[in-house]
Amino acid sequence: MDIFAIITILTILSAAFAFINTKFLKLPFTIGLMIIAMCFTLLIVIVGQFNSSILEQSKELIQSIDFKTVLLEVMLSFLLFAGALHTKLDDLAKHRAPIMLFATFGVMVSTFLVGGIFYFVAEAVGHHIDFIYCLLFGALISPTDPIAVLGILKEAKAPKKLEIKIVGESLFNDGVGVVVFLVIFSIAQRGIASVEAEEVGLLFFEEVFGGIALGLLMGWVGFKIMKTIDHYETEVMITLAMVMGIYSIAHAVHFSGPLAVVVAGIFIGNKSPEIAWSKTTQNYVDKFWELIDVFLNAILFVLIGFELLIVTINGEYILLGVLAIPITLIARYLALKGPIMLFNEKLEFIPKTDMIMTWGGIRGGISIALALSLQPEMERELFLTVTYVIVVFSIIGQGLTIGPLVKRVLGR
């Protein structure tokens, strides 16, 4: 099936599911779409028991979509830019120290905690997994997904102080998480003896600091160009070209594309409205990127629901997935505890910030995409199933209850 036909099918289904959710279910947009897509997938599986060709054709369609490439190399840059564009630098700057610790130290601590605990839990249920592969799983599941977090927090009405920490962390920690994943992936492939500390340090420095530098440079260039004109159609096109150009350059020079796009988005979103854009331009840019955000989110969460077709349904895998849910939550709580205690008095965190941030750390498509990139010998099928179980619980269970939790904790 050609790419246009696939996009057409996904768009039609996304629009239909969005209508059903808006008209009848009235759930938060992304959660509703994913639940409907999963129900639709289960219906296909049931019908497939009587007509196998329907099930086979559906599986063939989903398998023909390279979810990893579609998300990490196409959709992610646009979604991150749309989120970063509306992130206020003043709020972010005030909380920059804990946000950076959450996104770096927190991700690495969580990676080793999840990997270590999961290794022993898997051994306890009789499934031996090499420790390095468990660390890979820890790396892919530790970053919270900015796409899921941004969409769900809009519905949760969390306090601004708390929202900026969760959103700020999620915008940056996926870039760091991908770098940690790549480092461990390289060690798993080549063996720890063949990977030197200098090589790891250089890769981390290149990806993280190179991505930040590229984002600042391209954001500044885009800002300067838009400052010289007042033509909203052209300026909207410039923002679109920036995102695509930044991601392509980052990929070519081995910098972190997600970090570069986030930094450029924050720069443009904070500098341009006051200096470079007219009110008309700002309105059109905002509306354009809101529509991009809504459309791509719809496609993404429908795809997550459809991924159920290619996940291995195995009793042992499902059990390990269920056991991994508290593991990831405990690891996240412990990884956040240190930075929160360190900055608690200085920044006056709201009560139970550690609990709310733990529950508000939604996992999403990025974790599934990284799990799909594993090689078969790295327990790919097991970790894909476990990751899917965690993501579904995270988006539905945590996503639907984070709002009530915030209200209960804050006594609203």
Side-chain angles (χ1 to χ4, degrees):
M1 190 175 294
D2 62 69
I3 187 67
F4 182 76
I6 291 172
I7 293 171
T8 301
I9 290 170
L10 288 175
T11 303
I12 291 171
L13 289 173
S14 298
F17 296 165
F19 173 78
I20 293 167
N21 182 59
T22 305
K23 183 74 173 174
F24 303 108
L25 299 184
K26 303 186 188 304
L27 291 170
F29 184 72
T30 51
I31 299 175
L33 287 180
M34 196 185 83
I35 290 173
I36 297 168
M38 290 182 69
C39 292
F40 187 76
T41 303
L42 290 172
L43 181 62
I44 290 172
V45 172
I46 293 168
V47 172
Q49 304 306 308
F50 305 97
N51 186 343
S52 60
S53 65
I54 291 175
L55 183 58
E56 291 304 316
Q57 286 173 7
S58 300
K59 282 186 177 180
E60 189 179 325
L61 172 64
I62 298 304
Q63 287 170 340
S64 69
I65 302 169
D66 186 344
F67 186 86
K68 172 181 172 288
T69 301
V70 167
L71 176 56
L72 295 183
E73 296 181 21
V74 180
M75 298 171 74
L76 183 60
S77 56
F78 298 104
L79 288 162
L80 286 177
F81 187 83
L85 201 60
H86 299 104
T87 302
K88 294 305 172 190
L89 192 57
D90 290 344
D91 296 331
L92 207 59
K94 186 179 178 182
H95 299 277
R96 64 186 179 278
I99 286 171
M100 286 300 103
L101 271 181
F102 293 150
T104 52
F105 174 80
V107 168
M108 287 186 275
V109 168
S110 177
T111 295
F112 282 89
L113 284 174
V114 171
I117 299 170
F118 189 82
Y119 173 80
F120 289 108
V121 169
E123 288 283 341
V125 299
H127 192 111
H128 174 74
I129 310 170
D130 289 351
F131 183 69
I132 191 67
Y133 300 152
C134 291
L135 284 184
L136 262 180
F137 169 65
L140 69 87
I141 206 65
S142 289
T144 53
D145 191 326
I147 302 159
V149 169
L150 285 165
I152 289 166
L153 276 183
K154 285 176 187 174
E155 306 282 343
K157 296 180 181 175
K160 198 67 183 175
K161 265 188 179 181
L162 180 64
E163 185 182 336
I164 196 65
K165 293 182 186 72
I166 298 176
V167 170
E169 177 209 4
S170 65
L171 282 171
F172 287 100
N173 75 3
D174 67 304
V176 174
V178 170
V179 175
V180 173
F181 176 83
L182 290 174
V183 169
I184 299 174
F185 189 89
S186 180
I187 293 170
Q189 267 190 319
R190 295 157 51 189
I192 194 162
S194 62
V195 179
E196 298 180 357
E198 293 85 354
E199 185 182 349
V200 172
L202 180 61
L203 174 62
F204 195 85
F205 183 86
E206 255 187 347
E207 289 272 349
V208 174
F209 292 99
I212 292 171
L214 177 64
L216 282 172
L217 175 63
M218 296 301 288
W220 179 81
V221 169
F223 164 75
K224 285 292 186 182
I225 291 171
M226 288 187 287
K227 191 180 173 184
T228 64
I229 59 174
D230 182 15
H231 189 254
Y232 74 84
E233 293 98 331
T234 303
E235 289 171 273
V236 168
M237 287 181 67
I238 288 171
T239 60
L240 188 60
M242 271 181 56
V243 174
M244 299 172 80
I246 288 170
Y247 221 79
S248 297
I249 293 169
H251 184 73
V253 296
H254 304 292
F255 291 167
S256 172
L259 284 176
V261 169
V262 166
V263 171
I266 292 172
F267 187 95
I268 290 291
N270 283 270
K271 292 285 284 184
S272 298
E274 296 176 5
I275 303 169
W277 292 340
S278 65
K279 290 291 183 185
T280 301
T281 297
Q282 183 177 349
N283 185 49
Y284 274 95
V285 169
D286 286 346
K287 295 300 180 188
F288 174 79
W289 282 102
E290 280 176 20
L291 283 171
I292 290 285
D293 187 43
V294 169
F295 175 68
L296 292 183
N297 259 308
I299 298 291
L300 173 60
F301 280 83
V302 167
L303 271 176
I304 291 174
F306 286 160
E307 288 295 310
L308 183 61
L309 278 172
I310 61 171
V311 168
T312 303
I313 306 299
N314 174 300
E316 184 182 55
Y317 291 3
I318 298 295
L319 172 63
L320 284 169
V322 171
L323 293 174
I325 292 171
I327 292 173
T328 55
L329 289 171
I330 291 167
R332 176 164 171 78
Y333 179 85
L334 294 174
L336 293 173
K337 193 68 178 174
I340 288 173
M341 289 175 66
L342 187 62
F343 293 99
N344 190 29
E345 290 185 14
K346 184 179 177 182
L347 294 176
E348 297 179 349
F349 285 13
I350 68 167
K352 305 291 184 183
T353 291
D354 46 6
M355 181 196 300
I356 298 172
M357 283 192 70
T358 297
W359 200 249
I362 311 294
R363 272 79 178 194
I366 291 171
S367 293
I368 293 174
L370 292 176
L372 285 165
S373 72
L374 296 174
Q375 295 176 346
E377 65 271 17
M378 296 175 176
E379 297 277 1
R380 179 181 180 274
E381 294 306 314
L382 165 65
F383 286 131
L384 179 57
T385 303
V386 171
T387 300
Y388 195 83
V389 170
I390 293 170
V391 167
V392 169
F393 172 82
S394 181
I395 293 173
I396 299 175
Q398 293 171 234
L400 288 175
T401 54
I402 184 63
L405 176 66
V406 170
K407 289 177 183 175
R408 183 171 181 179
V409 169
L410 300 181
R412 294 186 172 186

